[in-house]
């Protein structure tokens, strides 16, 4: 489970303190989905988004039942309720490069490149990376990781959930 | 059929008489915030003492109208009325906010004929009022009672097209969208009476789940000069909101012309942050 963090730290350390243009930087997000000893397990719906005061929240990733017939999986997106309120409900779903299938328990890693895809260009300022998970017949949990941009390469933030989310980390890499 | 009319009659009596204060009419949707390209919502509709339990009489469904986000009429489906409640479904196929409303207007009044004061019978409307007043009647006094009971459902992002006031009775105009309520955040609504800001309107807000707590948890609020008020949501859940004016008991011997009567009911879902 902790193997992934070593990798993240490793890549960060490799970059050292070199100044890297913001456009080339990446946000490496690691989300651990806990293995839950429950009778009826469904993989959680997970949304990862970025908030900055004075700007519209930016959805980076949404994992849900994208392949269900007639888009039925979208019915439960509102259960990721904070994400649904701040961003999801005004999006067209599924969204290219953002939505994808639910993921299995264990460590799940996603990387976002500044200037590209859902992350886009980041103006300097204070941001919060938010990870929210909601599970069918289960609970919901949300974690916040505040950081400032531009961030020092190698900088890593961590949070740990207690129910529907395990360890969540954000590291800045190239 | 017979039972249906009895119920309808009983309800009409409840709604227009002072005894309505002992009971609360409500519609309770299975969900108010929805995602996906289409969705179904089922609604319970009843009149009861406690919120939201079925223990008195069902609310009738024949007067319930659906307004879709684009303003066009929708429909209720699978309507059924049981001993204590009615249920019906609404199929949401458009993105945006729907209104499901039961609006009724009744005319009440009295006239003097041959020196005797008579009341207009129940079920009188503006249209059949003239026929109900016999020739030779004098001192005709009438007043309208407008009752509005409505709920809101949103598929996708909230929209506001359906909130255009009709100018009749008590209406709610959102400042905070009624499908965007979160506990810990206050919400602001404006209330209109016959299209004008309802200054000093008394609003009652009660959280559902009465049976499992000792205190009613009622908030008594009053609108400001613009008809506006803010409501704080102490916890997530379904809340019943009610306003009414002119609640004079039918059959009372009050002097003077009948008062304007109007009532408003909505059920609001407040989500956890």
């Amino acid at each position: 489970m902790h193997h992934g963090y070593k990798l993240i730290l490793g890549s960060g350390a490799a970059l050292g303190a070199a100044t890297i243009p913001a456009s080339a930087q990446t946000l490496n997000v690691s989300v651990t989905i806990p293995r839950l000893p429950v009778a009826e397990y469904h993989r959680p719906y997970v949304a990862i988004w970025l908030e900055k005061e004075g700007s519209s929240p930016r959805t980076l990733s949404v994992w849900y039942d994208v392949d269900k017939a007639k888009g039925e999986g979208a019915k439960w997106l509102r259960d990721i309720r904070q994400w649904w309120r701040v961003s999801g409900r005004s999006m067209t779903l599924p969204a290219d490069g953002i939505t994808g299938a639910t993921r299995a328990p264990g460590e799940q890693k996603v990387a976002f490149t500044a200037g590209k895809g859902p992350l886009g260009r980041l103006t300097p300022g204070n941001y919060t990376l938010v990870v929210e998970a909601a599970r069918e017949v289960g609970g919901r949990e949300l974690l916040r990781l505040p950081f400032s941009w531009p961030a020092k390469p190698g900088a890593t933030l961590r949070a740990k959930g207690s129910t529907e989310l395990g360890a969540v980390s954000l590291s800045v890499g190239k | 059929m017979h039972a249906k009319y009895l119920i309808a009659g009983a309800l009409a009596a409840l709604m227009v008489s002072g005894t309505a204060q002992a009971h609360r009419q409500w519609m309770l949707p299975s969900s108010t915030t929805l995602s996906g390209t289409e969705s179904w919502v089922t609604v319970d509709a009843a009149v009861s003492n406690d919120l939201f339990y079925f223990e008195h009489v069902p609310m009738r469904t024949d007067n319930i109208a659906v307004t879709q986000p684009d303003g066009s009429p929708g429909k209720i489906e699978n309507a059924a009325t049981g001993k204590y409640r009615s249920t019906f479904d609404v199929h949401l196929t458009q993105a945006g906010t729907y209104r499901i409303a039961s609006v009724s207007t009744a005319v009440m009044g009295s006239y003097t004929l041959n020196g005797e004061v008579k009341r207009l019978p129940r079920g009188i409307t503006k249209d059949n009022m003239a026929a109900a007043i016999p020739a030779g009647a004098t001192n005709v006094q009438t007043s309208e009672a407008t009752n509005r009971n409505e709920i809101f459902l949103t598929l996708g992002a909230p929209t506001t097209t359906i909130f255009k006031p009709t100018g009749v009775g008590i209406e709610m105009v959102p400042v905070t969208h009624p499908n965007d309520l979160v506990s810990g955040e206050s919400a602001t609504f404006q209330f209109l009476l016959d299209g004008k800001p309802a200054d000093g309107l008394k609003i009652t807000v009660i959280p559902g789940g009465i049976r499992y707590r000792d205190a009613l948890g009622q908030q008594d609020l009053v609108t400001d000069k613009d008809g506006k008020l803010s409501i704080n949501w102490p916890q997530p859940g379904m809340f019943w909101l009610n306003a009414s004016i002119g609640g004079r008991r039918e059959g009372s011997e009050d002097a003077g012309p009948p008062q304007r009567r109007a009532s408003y009911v909505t059920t609001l879902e407040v989500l956890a942050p």
Side-chain angles (χ1 to χ4, degrees), chain A residues 70-79 81-85 88-91 93 132 140 142, chain B residues 31-40 155-158 176 179-182 185 271-273:
Chain A
K70 296 183 199 160
E72 285 227 317
K75 188 177 171 185
W76 309 109
L77 282 172
R78 55 98 193 265
D79 290 344
R81 59 177 182 254
Q82 277 208 26
W83 167 74
W84 183 248
R85 188 181 191 214
R89 70 191 187 186
S90 53
M91 287 173 66
L93 298 157
E132 184 176 12
R140 187 194 73 108
L142 178 143
Chain B
S31 192
T32 61
T33 303
L34 302 129
S35 57
T37 49
E38 54 91 33
S39 203
W40 286 85
L155 181 68
T176 307
N179 291 144
D180 197 16
L181 308 176
V182 175
E185 293 180 15
L271 296 174

Side-chain angles (χ1 to χ4, degrees), chain A residues 1 5 30-35 104-108 164-169:
Chain A
M1 233 196 213
Y5 301 114
S30 160
V31 176
T32 304
I33 296 171
R35 218 169 278 282
E107 194 199 4
Q108 300 292 341
E164 299 296 340
L165 284 169
V168 169
S169 74

